[in-house]
C-alpha cells in the first residue's frame, strides 16, 4: 500500500479546508459550517486508518515536503549547515495518534450538531472554523518529522485553544480563562523554544528519526565521551531535554503549570472534549513519546518526568474530590491521568504511556461528551448538587457515561485498568532499584483511591438518587447526534484495553500484547531505545508462575483494591436518595483543597510580588546606571563638539592663524623632545 502515503498531507489539509470554508462562507451554509467539518474530519479519519494499515505492513513514510531555510553554521558536534524543513513522518506511533485525533475530532463535530446548533447558538461559523484549525494543527503536529516543525504547530495548537476557550467572549470569565491558558502555556513554551535552538546548535539537525536524527547524534556524542558547551555530553542532553520538557509541562497541564486547565472549562464542552482527549493536553505527552529515544539517554531526565507525573497524578486527584461542577471534576481528572502517562514514560514504560494516552483519549472524550449531554438534559446546569435521578430518564447517556467512569477509575476489564495497571507495575519494578521512582509509584498508587472516589461521587450525584432541581425533574431531550458519539466511545472504553493485555501475557504467556508489537516489535521502534535507562528491569518474561507473576498479581490486586475502596466510599456517602454535603466536615483541609492549594494566589504573588518588583528594579537600574552612563558619554560628546565647531568661522585669516599656531606648537614639542632648547 505504498501509494497511500501520497495522500498523507491531505490528513491535515482536509480540516484546514474546512476551516477556510466555515470562516468564509459558514453563515450561508446549512448548520453554519458543521457539514464541511464533519466531511473533512471523516476524510482525515479514513486516510489515517489507511495509514495505520499501511504501517502495519512494515512500511514507514518519511518525506521532506519543503525546505524553507538553510544555514552554513557548524554545530557543536561538527555538523556543517542545518536545513529547516517541513516534512512528514508516519511510523507506528504517528499512525496510531492520527487515528485517535481524527476519530475524536470527527465525533466532536457530530456531537456539536446536537449540542451547539440545537440551542440557536450565535457565532457558529467561528466555532466550526476554530475546530477545523484546531484539528489541522494537531494532525500536522503529530506527523511533523522534525522538532522545529513540531514546535510551530505546537504553538498553533495553543493559539486555537485560546480562541476556542474564549468562544463566549462576551462573558467576563471566558476571555479571562483563555488569556490564562495562553499565558501559562506560553511560559513553558519559552523553555521549549530555547531547547529547540540548543538542540539545533548542538547536533546540527532537528530530525526525529533516521541516521541523521538528533537522537542518533546525541547517542554518538555520549559514546564519544566528549564535552558540549562545557558540559559532558549526557549532562547537556539532560539540560536540553529538560528545556523541551518545559513546553510539555505547560501543554499537558503538569505541576506547576497545570492551573490553566480547570479554568479552560469556560469554553464549550465539546471544545473541552477535544482539548482534553486528543489535542492540546495530549500534545505534550505525545511529544515526550516522540522524543522518547532522546529522553532515554538521560536517567536523570526520566526520573524527573516520572516524579513530576506521579506527584501531579496525586495532587490533581485530591482536588477533584471536592468539586461540584461536573466539568471541573473531569478537568482535574485529566490533569491526574496525564500525570500517569508521564509516570509511565518516565520509568521507561514507553508502551504503557502511549497505551494510556490512547485509552484516555477514548474514555475522556466519552466523559466530556457525556457531561455535555447531561448539561443539555439539565438545561445548561453544571452543578452536580442540582442534578440527580437522571439514570432512568437518559439511559444512553447514563450507561455510556458509566462505561467511561469505570475506565477512568481503573476497574477491570475496562480499558483504563489495563493501561494504568501496566504503568503502575512498570513504576513498581523500577522503583525497587530507584528510590525516587518508588516515591513516584507510591503517589500514583495513592491517586487510584481518590480517582475511584471522585469518579463515582460524580456518577452518583449526577445520575442516582432523587432529582434535586426542576431541571432534573424535567430534563431536556437529546437527539441521536449526541447519543451516537457516546455509544461509539462507550464501546471503545470497554474494548480498547484488549490492545495490550500485558498482565495476561506475563501470567500465561499468551500473545495478547498487540500494541507492544506495534510500537516496539514487529512493526516499529523508537530509535531502538524503547525501554531506555530501565530496559533490563522492564523486559517482559514468561514462564511458570514465579516471582514476576506473583508481583503482577499483587500489583494489579492492590490497584483494584484501592479503586474499589474509593468507589465504595463514594457509594456509601452519595448513592442515597438525598446525599449530604460532606465537604464542610473536612475543615481547614477542605478549604485548602477547595482553593486548589492556593496555586492561583501563589502564581499571582509570584508575578506581582516578586517578578514585578524585580522588573521595576531592573528598569530603575537601566534608567539610572545604564542610561546615566550612556547619557554622560553623549553629553560629553555634545559639549566637545559644541566647542570645536566654534573654530569653524569660514574666515581664511582665522584658518591661517590656526595653521601657524599649530605649526609653532608642533615645533616646540619636537624641539623639547629632541633637546634643542637644552
Amino acid at each position: 500500500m505504498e501509494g497511500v502515503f501520497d495522500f498523507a498531507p491531505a490528513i491535515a489539509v482536509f480540516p484546514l479546508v474546512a476551516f477556510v470554508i466555515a470562516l468564509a462562507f459558514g453563515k450561508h451554509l446549512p448548520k453554519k459550517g458543521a457539514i464541511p467539518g464533519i466531511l473533512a474530519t471523516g476524510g482525515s479519519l479514513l486516510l489515517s486508518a489507511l495509514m495505520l494499515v499501511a504501517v502495519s505492513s512494515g512500511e514507514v513514510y518519511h518525506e521532506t515536503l519543503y525546505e524553507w531555510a538553510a544555514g552554513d553554521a557548524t554545530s557543536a558536534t561538527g555538523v556543517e549547515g542545518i536545513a529547516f524543513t517541513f516534512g512528514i513522518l508516519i511510523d507506528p506511533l504517528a499512525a496510531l495518534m492520527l487515528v485517535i485525533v481524527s476519530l475524536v475530532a470527527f465525533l466532536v463535530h457530530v456531537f456539536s450538531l446536537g449540542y451547539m446548533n440545537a440551542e440557536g447558538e450565535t457565532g457558529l461559523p467561528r466555532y466550526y472554523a476554530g475546530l477545523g484549525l484546531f484539528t489541522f494543527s494537531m494532525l500536522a503536529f503529530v506527523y511533523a518529522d522534525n522538532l522545529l516543525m513540531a514546535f510551530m504547530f505546537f504553538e498553533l495548537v495553543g493559539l486555537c485553544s485560546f480562541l476556542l476557550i474564549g468562544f463566549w467572549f462576551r462573558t467576563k470569565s471566558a476571555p479571562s480563562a483563555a488569556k490564562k491558558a495562553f499565558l501559562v502555556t506560553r511560559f513553558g513554551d519559552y523553555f521549549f523554544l530555547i531547547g529547540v535552538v540548543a538542540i539545533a546548535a548542538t547536533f546540527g539537525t532537528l530530525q526525529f528519526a533516521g541516521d541523521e536524527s538528533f537522537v542518533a547524534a546525541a547517542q554518538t556524542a555520549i559514546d564519544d565521551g566528549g564535552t558540549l558547551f562545557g558540559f559532558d555530553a549526557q549532562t547537556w542532553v539532560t539540560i536540553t531535554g529538560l528545556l523541551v520538557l518545559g513546553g510539555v509541562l505547560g501543554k499537558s497541564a503538569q505541576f506547576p503549570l497545570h492551573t490553566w486547565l480547570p479554568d479552560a472549562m469556560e469554553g464549550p464542552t465539546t471544545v473541552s472534549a477535544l482539548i482534553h482527549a486528543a489535542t492540546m493536553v495530549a500534545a505534550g505527552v505525545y511529544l515526550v513519546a516522540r522524543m522518547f529515544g532522546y529522553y532515554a539517554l538521560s536517567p536523570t531526565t526520566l526520573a524527573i518526568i516520572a516524579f513530576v507525573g506521579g506527584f501531579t497524578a496525586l495532587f490533581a486527584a485530591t482536588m477533584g474530590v471536592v468539586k461540584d461542577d461536573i466539568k471541573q471534576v473531569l478537568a482535574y481528572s485529566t490533569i491526574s491521568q496525564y500525570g500517569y502517562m508521564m509516570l509511565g514514560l518516565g520509568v521507561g514504560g514507553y508502551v504503557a504511556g502511549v497505551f494510556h494516552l490512547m485509552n484516555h483519549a477514548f474514555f475522556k472524550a466519552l466523559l466530556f461528551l457525556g457531561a455535555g449531554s447531561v448539561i443539555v438534559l439539565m438545561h445548561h446546569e453544571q452543578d452536580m448538587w442540582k442534578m440527580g435521578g437522571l439514570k432512568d430518564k437518559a439511559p444512553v447517556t447514563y450507561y455510556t457515561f458509566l462505561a467511561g467512569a469505570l475506565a477512568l477509575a481503573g476497574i477491570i476489564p475496562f480499558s483504563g485498568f489495563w493501561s494504568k495497571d501496566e504503568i503502575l507495575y512498570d513504576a513498581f519494578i523500577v522503583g525497587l532499584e530507584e528510590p525516587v521512582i518508588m516515591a513516584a509509584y507510591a503517589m500514583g498508587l495513592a491517586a487510584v483511591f481518590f480517582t475511584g472516589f471522585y469518579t463515582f461521587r460524580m456518577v452518583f450525584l449526577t445520575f442516582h438518587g432523587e432529582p434535586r432541581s426542576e431541571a432534573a425533574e424535567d430534563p431536556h431531550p437529546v437527539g441521536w447526534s449526541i447519543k451516537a458519539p457516546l455509544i461509539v466511545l462507550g464501546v471503545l472504553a470497554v474494548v480498547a484495553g484488549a490492545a495490550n493485555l500485558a498482565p495476561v501475557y506475563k501470567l500465561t504467556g499468551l500473545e495478547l500484547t498487540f500494541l507492544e508489537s506495534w510500537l516496539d516489535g514487529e512493526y516499529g521502534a523508537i530509535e531502538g531505545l524503547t525501554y531506555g535507562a530501565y530496559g533490563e528491569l522492564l523486559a517482559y518474561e514468561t514462564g511458570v508462575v514465579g516471582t514476576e507473576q506473583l508481583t503482577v498479581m499483587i500489583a494489579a490486586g492492590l490497584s483494584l483494591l484501592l479503586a474499589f475502596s474509593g468507589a465504595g466510599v463514594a457509594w456509601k456517602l452519595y448513592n442515597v436518595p438525598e446525599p449530604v454535603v460532606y465537604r464542610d466536615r473536612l475543615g481547614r483541609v477542605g478549604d485548602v483543597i477547595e482553593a486548589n492549594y492556593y496555586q492561583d494566589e501563589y502564581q499571582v504573588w509570584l508575578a506581582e510580588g516578586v517578578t514585578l518588583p524585580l522588573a521595576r528594579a531592573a528598569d530603575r537600574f537601566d534608567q539610572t546606571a545604564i542610561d546615566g552612563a550612556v547619557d554622560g558619554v553623549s553629553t560629553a560628546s555634545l559639549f566637545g563638539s559644541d566647542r570645536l565647531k566654534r573654530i569653524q568661522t569660514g574666515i581664511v585669516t582665522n584658518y591661517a592663524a590656526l595653521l601657524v599656531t599649530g605649526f609653532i606648537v608642533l615645533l616646540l614639542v619636537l624641539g623639547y623632545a629632541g633637546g634643542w632648547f637644552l
Side-chain angles (χ1 to χ4, degrees), residues 21-151:
I21 293 174
L23 193 63
F25 311 107
K27 62 182 180 180
H28 305 295
L29 296 174
K31 305 298 183 181
K32 304 301 181 182
I35 304 303
I38 292 173
L39 294 175
T41 51
S44 295
L45 175 59
L46 177 61
L47 288 176
S48 298
L50 292 175
M51 300 299 158
L52 198 70
V53 174
V55 170
S56 69
S57 65
E59 299 180 67
V60 173
Y61 179 68
H62 188 189
E63 185 73 25
T64 298
L65 301 179
Y66 177 68
E67 180 178 302
W68 60 278
D72 56 4
T74 302
S75 71
T77 54
V79 178
E80 295 184 1
I82 177 172
F84 300 105
T85 62
F86 288 102
I88 295 177
L89 172 64
I90 299 181
D91 60 359
L93 175 63
L96 177 64
M97 195 65 186
L98 288 172
V99 171
I100 294 171
V101 174
S102 55
L103 174 60
V104 173
F106 173 73
L107 294 175
V108 165
H109 276 81
V110 173
F111 189 92
S112 296
L113 290 173
Y115 185 79
M116 297 294 288
N117 292 67
E119 298 296 326
E121 182 68 57
T122 59
L124 286 177
R126 176 166 49 89
Y127 167 78
Y128 286 112
L131 288 185
L133 187 62
F134 207 3
T135 306
F136 156 73
S137 304
M138 187 63 189
L139 290 171
F141 168 76
V142 167
Y143 66 32
D145 76 332
N146 65 84
L147 192 57
L148 181 60
M149 179 180 171
F151 173 78

Side-chain angles (χ1 to χ4, degrees), residues 395-617:
V396 173
T397 299
Y398 171 68
Y399 285 107
T400 54
F401 195 93
L402 182 61
L406 289 165
L408 171 61
I411 303 298
I412 193 169
F414 292 84
S415 61
F417 165 78
W418 301 104
S419 50
K420 186 189 295 183
D421 177 76
E422 190 172 347
I423 288 171
L424 291 174
Y425 173 79
D426 287 350
F428 176 72
I429 294 300
V430 176
L432 294 175
E433 302 289 336
E434 301 286 342
V436 172
I437 304 300
M438 183 57 74
Y441 164 75
M443 290 185 287
L445 187 63
V448 173
F449 172 83
F450 292 104
T451 303
F453 176 78
Y454 70 65
T455 299
F456 281 93
R457 173 180 177 266
M458 173 177 59
V459 170
F460 295 139
L461 286 178
T462 302
F463 294 99
H464 289 228
E466 297 298 326
R468 295 184 293 275
S469 67
E470 292 184 7
E473 287 276 6
D474 184 25
H476 187 286
V478 297
W480 280 102
S481 62
I482 287 179
K483 294 177 183 178
L486 295 181
I487 293 172
V488 172
L489 291 168
V491 172
L492 289 172
V494 176
V495 305
N500 206 65
L501 302 179
V504 176
Y505 173 66
K506 293 169 187 172
L507 290 173
T508 66
L510 295 175
E511 295 287 348
L512 299 176
T513 54
F514 174 74
L515 195 65
E516 171 77 18
S517 300
W518 177 266
L519 292 172
D520 185 58
E522 181 180 352
Y523 301 110
I526 299 296
E527 295 298 323
L529 294 168
T530 298
Y531 292 112
Y534 307 119
E536 294 182 2
L537 295 174
L538 298 183
Y540 287 170
E541 298 177 0
T542 59
V544 297
V545 175
T547 303
E548 184 191 17
Q549 287 73 20
L550 183 62
T551 304
V552 170
M553 290 187 288
I554 292 174
L558 187 57
S559 175
L560 280 172
L561 176 63
L562 288 171
F564 278 116
S565 298
V569 173
W571 177 82
K572 180 68 175 177
L573 297 179
Y574 298 105
N575 189 30
V576 294
E578 295 294 336
V580 178
V581 179
Y582 291 94
R583 179 247 171 278
D584 293 337
R585 301 185 185 183
L586 296 175
R588 181 58 180 165
V589 174
D591 293 336
V592 173
I593 299 175
E594 181 69 27
N596 303 325
Y597 298 97
Y598 300 104
Q599 286 292 295
D600 287 329
E601 289 79 0
Y602 167 72
Q603 290 186 353
V604 170
W605 170 81
L606 194 62
E608 296 182 353
V610 178
T611 306
L612 189 58
L614 287 175
R616 288 172 174 168

Side-chain angles (χ1 to χ4, degrees), residues 639-651:
F639 178 81
S641 63
D642 180 66
R643 294 298 182 271
L644 287 174
K645 74 179 182 180
R646 295 181 181 181
I647 66 175
Q648 302 296 330
T649 63
I651 302 174

